[in-house]
Amino acid sequence: MSTLFTPTKVGELLLKHRVVGAPMTRLRSEPNDAPSDMMAEWYGQRASEGGLQIAESSSVSAAGRAYLGAPGLYADEQIAGWKKVTDAVHAKGGYLIAQVYDPGRVGHVENNGGAAPAGPSVLPFDSHVVTADGLVDGTPDRAYETAEIPGVIELFRQAAVRAREAGFDGIELHGANGYLVDQFLQDGTNQRTDEYGGSLENRARFVLETLNALISVWGSQRVGLRVSPSGEWGDISDSDPERTFGYLAEQLNPLQLAYLHVIEPRIKGDDWLHEGQEPVASAFLRKTFTGPIIAAGGFDREGADGILGRGEADLVAFGRWFASNPDLPVRLQKGLPLAAYDRQYFWGGTELGYTDYPVYGG
C-alpha cells in the first residue's frame, strides 16, 4: 500500500490518510467577512473520514484585508459562519484547521477602513490586492512602531480564541507567501534596527512570539506553521533563505508544534511535481525540524509517493486538484481520472465552478 494512504498522527489528530486539503483563498465570504453557506458546503464536500483540511486564510484584523471576499476571524460575528463550516466537515468525520494571517504591507486603504497597510519596514515593492474594483495595486504602507507589535500579536491570539469557539480542530499560522510573518522573518523585507530586526534571532522573534500566543490558546499539539522558503510573491526575498529557515526550524523544535507546512517551489505553469523534478524545501528543513512535515506545491500521486518514500515529508497537501475533485483522496487511491479545474472560477463568484463538481461517477 502507498504510504499516502496509511494512518498517521499530526499533533493530537489521528488521521486515516495523508492527503491534506491545502488552504485556498476562494473569495466567497459574506460582506462582513463571515463564511457563506456555500463555503460550508464546499468544505463539507471535500471532507473525508479521518482526513485533514486546512481552511483558507482568515485575517486577524479589519485593518488587514488584502482581498475583498476573503474570510476573517477578527470579529465575534464571524464565529457562527465558521461554525457551519466546521460542523459540515465534522459531520463526515473529517478535521479542519483554521489558518490565520495578516497581509502586512500588502493591502489597500479601501479594504482597511482608511488605514494604511503596515509591515516591518517601508521598501519599494509590487503589490496586488482585490478591492470592490477588482484586482488593483496596493496602496503605500508604513512601518510598525516597536510599541505596536505586542498589540498585533494579541490580535492573532484573539483570532485563535474565536477559532476554538467556531469548532476548529487546530490552528495554523500563515508564515508564507510574503505576508506579515514572512516579512518580519526575511531580510529582504525586514530592515529594522530594533529587537525585531537585524540578526536572525531578532527577525525570527515575531513568528515565535506569535506562535506562542496561539499555543497559549490551543496547546502546541494543535498549532502548525506554514512557510515558503522559495517564495517570491509580494517581492519577498532573503539573502540566505536556507540559513534563515534552517535557524527557524531549530527554534521550532522546542515548541513541539503539530506540524510544519512547507510550500515547495512551483514547477512552471500547471505542471505537477514528479520524479525528476523533486522538491527541495522539505528536504533541507527535514534535516533540522523533528516534527511532522506537510509538503505542498503542485504534487501528483507519483510525486507525493516520492517525497513520502524519501522521508522528506509525512503528509502532502493538494490544492487546485481538490478544487475540482471533492473526492480527491478516493480518486488518488483508486487511480481514477481527475476532473479538470477552471481558473476563471478560482477567486470569487457563485457556486459555479465551486460547489458543482461531482464525486466520481456522480
Side-chain angles (χ1 to χ4, degrees), residues 68 108 110-111 129-137:
L68 193 67
H108 199 288
E110 288 187 10
N111 289 352
V129 299
V130 177
T131 70
D133 296 320
L135 187 67
V136 300
D137 292 338

Side-chain angles (χ1 to χ4, degrees), residues 120-346:
S121 306
V122 177
L123 299 163
F125 77 108
D126 289 329
S127 171
H128 304 287
V129 299
V130 177
T131 70
D133 296 320
L135 187 67
V136 300
D137 292 338
T139 50
D141 60 314
R142 67 177 184 88
Y144 277 118
E145 298 291 338
T146 305
E148 294 179 276
I149 293 176
V152 177
I153 294 172
E154 172 62 13
L155 293 173
F156 280 90
R157 191 197 67 79
Q158 293 173 6
V161 172
R162 294 188 185 97
R164 280 188 68 94
E165 294 177 2
F168 282 98
D169 299 293
I171 193 163
E172 176 179 284
L173 178 61
H174 193 351
N177 296 353
Y179 298 129
L180 184 64
V181 173
D182 210 8
Q183 292 161 24
F184 268 98
L185 181 64
Q186 301 205 48
D187 62 15
T189 46
N190 184 345
Q191 297 188 7
R192 301 175 71 91
T193 57
D194 63 0
E195 59 263 42
Y196 290 94
S199 68
L200 263 175
E201 178 183 5
N202 285 353
R203 285 188 281 118
R205 191 183 308 278
F206 184 82
V207 58
L208 295 174
E209 289 185 351
T210 305
L211 283 169
N212 277 310
L214 302 185
I215 289 170
S216 74
V217 176
W218 279 92
S220 63
Q221 289 290 283
R222 296 276 181 162
V223 175
L225 171 66
R226 196 179 210 210
V227 296
S228 53
S230 306
E232 299 178 351
W233 178 258
D235 284 352
I236 196 76
S237 66
D238 191 87
S239 60
D240 191 347
E242 188 161 342
R243 177 171 174 262
T244 294
F245 286 89
Y247 173 83
L248 177 62
E250 289 178 353
Q251 304 309 304
L252 295 178
N253 286 333
L255 298 183
Q256 297 185 311
L257 297 180
Y259 63 84
L260 179 61
H261 187 177
V262 182
I263 302 176
E264 295 287 350
R266 183 76 57 80
I267 299 303
K268 291 181 180 180
D270 286 342
D271 291 345
W272 294 354
L273 286 171
H274 55 78
E275 295 296 335
Q277 295 176 319
E278 295 178 355
V280 293
S282 299
F284 88 74
L285 288 172
R286 173 61 91 194
K287 297 175 184 177
T288 304
F289 185 69
T290 57
I293 289 178
I294 301 174
F299 287 90
D300 63 2
R301 166 67 188 273
E302 181 184 7
D305 283 337
I307 196 169
L308 295 178
R310 294 189 301 273
E312 296 167 359
D314 303 280
L315 305 96
V316 177
F318 295 82
R320 292 163 294 159
W321 293 102
F322 241 127
S324 53
N325 297 273
D327 55 341
L328 183 64
V330 173
R331 296 198 192 206
L332 291 177
Q333 185 172 21
K334 296 183 177 180
L336 300 172
L338 300 183
Y341 53 81
D342 191 333
R343 284 185 175 273
Q344 68 175 312
Y345 301 117
F346 274 9

